[in-house]
Amino acid sequence: MSPQFDAVMPITHRPDTVFVRGSGSWLEDGQGRRYLDFIQGWAVNALGHSPAVIRDALNAQAQRLLNTGPAFYNEPMVALANRLVSHSLFDHVFFTNSGAEANEGAIKLARKWGALHKGGAYGIITMRNGFHGRTLATMSASGKAGWDALFEPKVPGFSKVAFNDIDAVAQAIDDNTVAVMLELIQGEGGVVEADPEYVQQLRKLTGENNVLLIVDEVQSGMGRTGELFAYQHYGIAPDIMTLGKGIGGGVPLAALLATEQVSCFAPGDQGGTYSGNPLMTAVGAAVFDVVSDAAFLQRVAQRGDYLRAGLERLSQRFGLGAVSGRGLLLALQTGHYSAGGIVAVAFDNQLLLNAPRDDRLRFMPALNVTGEAIDEMLARLEGIMEGMSHEQ
Ligand SMILES: *Cc1c(COP(=O)(O)O)cnc(C)c1O
């Protein structure tokens, strides 16, 4: 490893490459090599690398106002909050810098609601293989394998149940339960969808037991699945939702949304130095106007179908497994091939793919990815699989 990297804390295995620019679906390194990017910052760059919409919004806002602090209103903060409220069933928005912070806010809001309305109940039921972030409370809420023993002691008050198992939730609910929190599509868990029937039963069960339903749409929200929010596919009304990743299209922005009935923070309960800062919310508003358009969302669904059909063809040809997910959040089960091994070979072929588990590849391209880029990705992946199948 080149010594120039020694000063960067080694929190993950990074390839010995420095990226210097990006455009659309392409990322370029210091040697001028171009990589086809189907990770896009982990489903963050909703409109691809450095799109004009975001460059323009950043430039225009930087000329006017960078930061007021959270104790004052600013125009983009108000504008983006209004857009989110008018396109969802929520009434109030609190902005954060990251998905984990938005989820921390959701956990705090549920606990506050429990203190006010449910005799101090604070227990939150979460899902095995769920992922909610890397702060202590959100790690405690996550059901990621291997995390149980990390950074002990954990934040108390979370109990984990099997995903898609309504009886497990029913058994776990007790007088101390204030909320159930889940991803409707488990992203880091491998793009595993909640069953529609389960989600409807979950809404009914939580309602009957005076328990809040929190949906973490940090990965599934903002058009990724072909609807603006994944809960819309399921026809349910959650009490709290969190957004992140695609909401900023590449800049640090996330949000906590709540209905009026559960929005119970008193002044001083919640805050954050950069909450709602105009530079990031101006970008969020610009991204929102693109991705909330009905024709745009329809194209996301169409491109998703196109990508899915291509992955299913590869699966047939090489004897791989099923394709899961919705819209442009898809995963392909790799059968007896190591997904991590495929990702490494793909990198050498200048194709960026992700393996959330060693038995599946995840695809999270820009929402405006072209059919051409999808074809190019499929052709490269096919070539890689040909090479790997000959080695066997
Ligand atoms: C990425 C992710 C988070 C954490 O977001 P950060 O911005 O990395 O803190 C939380 N929940 C889900 C579902 C995610 O995919």
Side-chain angles (χ1 to χ4, degrees):
M1 192 62 70
S2 162
Q4 66 166 317
F5 301 131
D6 286 354
V8 180
M9 195 177 280
I11 51 98
T12 185
H13 297 288
R14 298 182 173 105
D16 208 343
T17 304
V18 178
F19 288 106
V20 294
R21 63 172 65 83
S23 172
S25 287
W26 297 88
L27 199 49
E28 195 180 312
D29 72 12
Q31 269 76 51
R33 279 186 296 253
R34 295 176 81 234
Y35 293 73
L36 181 57
D37 188 359
F38 270 59
I39 301 178
Q40 290 287 358
W42 271 255
V44 168
N45 308 324
L47 304 177
H49 288 286
S50 292
V53 176
I54 292 184
R55 293 197 316 267
D56 292 347
L58 272 174
N59 281 331
Q61 189 58 42
Q63 312 288 327
R64 288 165 68 88
L65 181 63
L66 291 180
N67 179 34
T68 51
F72 300 104
Y73 293 119
N74 67 71
E75 285 177 317
M77 166 209 267
V78 173
L80 181 55
N82 276 306
R83 280 167 170 77
L84 287 164
V85 162
S86 68
H87 284 74
S88 72
L89 52 78
F90 300 97
D91 303 300
H92 292 163
V93 185
F94 172 76
F95 293 109
T96 64
N97 308 296
S98 68
E101 275 177 282
N103 285 330
E104 284 271 345
I107 293 163
K108 286 169 67 177
L109 186 61
R111 286 186 174 192
K112 180 77 198 274
W113 184 87
L116 289 176
H117 303 294
K118 216 182 164 184
Y122 63 83
I124 299 181
I125 298 168
T126 60
M127 303 295 147
R128 294 213 184 97
N129 297 317
F131 181 83
H132 302 295
R134 291 176 176 278
T135 61
L136 263 183
T138 55
M139 279 188 86
S140 306
S142 297
K144 201 171 154 91
W147 274 15
D148 280 349
L150 271 178
F151 313 123
E152 291 290 277
K154 288 286 188 309
V155 175
F158 297 97
S159 52
K160 266 145 232 159
V161 298
F163 190 52
N164 273 328
D165 183 344
I166 195 67
D167 295 335
V169 180
Q171 275 164 28
I173 290 178
D174 61 24
D175 290 345
N176 188 43
T177 306
V178 76
V180 174
M181 177 171 177
L182 82 168
E183 301 157 90
L184 294 171
I185 301 177
Q186 291 189 328
E188 300 311 297
V191 191
V192 182
E193 289 166 83
D195 300 330
E197 201 193 0
Y198 165 75
V199 174
Q200 271 159 29
Q201 288 170 335
L202 189 60
R203 177 65 283 190
K204 191 157 171 281
L205 180 69
T206 49
E208 285 165 358
N209 286 278
N210 199 23
V211 166
L212 302 178
L213 183 61
I214 304 172
V215 291
D216 176 348
E217 293 228 30
V218 170
Q219 191 159 153
S220 62
M222 299 313 296
R224 178 60 49 187
T225 65
E227 291 279 1
L228 195 50
F229 308 114
Y231 79 79
Q232 295 169 324
H233 291 291
Y234 290 92
I236 55 146
D239 301 295
I240 295 173
M241 172 171 76
T242 54
L243 297 171
K245 298 205 163 97
I247 190 176
V251 304
L253 179 66
L256 160 66
L257 292 85
T259 62
E260 194 162 14
Q261 293 94 297
V262 308
S263 178
C264 58
F265 282 141
D269 286 351
Q270 182 66 333
T273 299
Y274 298 112
S275 176
N277 74 85
L279 193 63
M280 297 309 139
T281 48
V283 172
V287 170
F288 190 94
D289 287 341
V290 177
V291 305
S292 62
D293 177 67
F296 183 91
L297 290 167
Q298 208 178 353
R299 280 196 299 279
V300 172
Q302 284 163 359
R303 289 184 189 110
D305 289 344
Y306 185 71
L307 174 56
R308 175 187 290 271
L311 294 173
E312 279 166 354
R313 263 194 324 273
L314 289 189
S315 177
Q316 287 251 305
R317 168 152 185 222
F318 296 102
L320 312 176
V323 178
S324 62
R326 261 181 197 268
L328 287 169
L329 179 60
L330 296 176
L332 169 63
Q333 292 187 18
T334 53
H336 55 272
Y337 296 91
S338 152
I342 296 170
V343 164
V345 179
F347 188 85
D348 294 336
N349 285 272
Q350 288 161 236
L351 171 62
L352 303 184
L353 296 179
N354 167 255
R357 300 166 22 174
D358 204 40
D359 66 352
R360 60 190 68 186
L361 294 169
R362 179 169 43 169
F363 303 84
M364 34 195 167
L367 300 183
N368 58 1
V369 64
T370 60
E372 222 177 2
I374 292 174
D375 289 342
E376 178 66 28
M377 188 282 294
L378 290 168
R380 288 188 192 195
L381 183 55
E382 185 161 20
I384 291 160
M385 294 311 302
E386 266 165 18
M388 292 186 104
S389 61
H390 289 147
E391 275 168 28
Q392 294 215 327

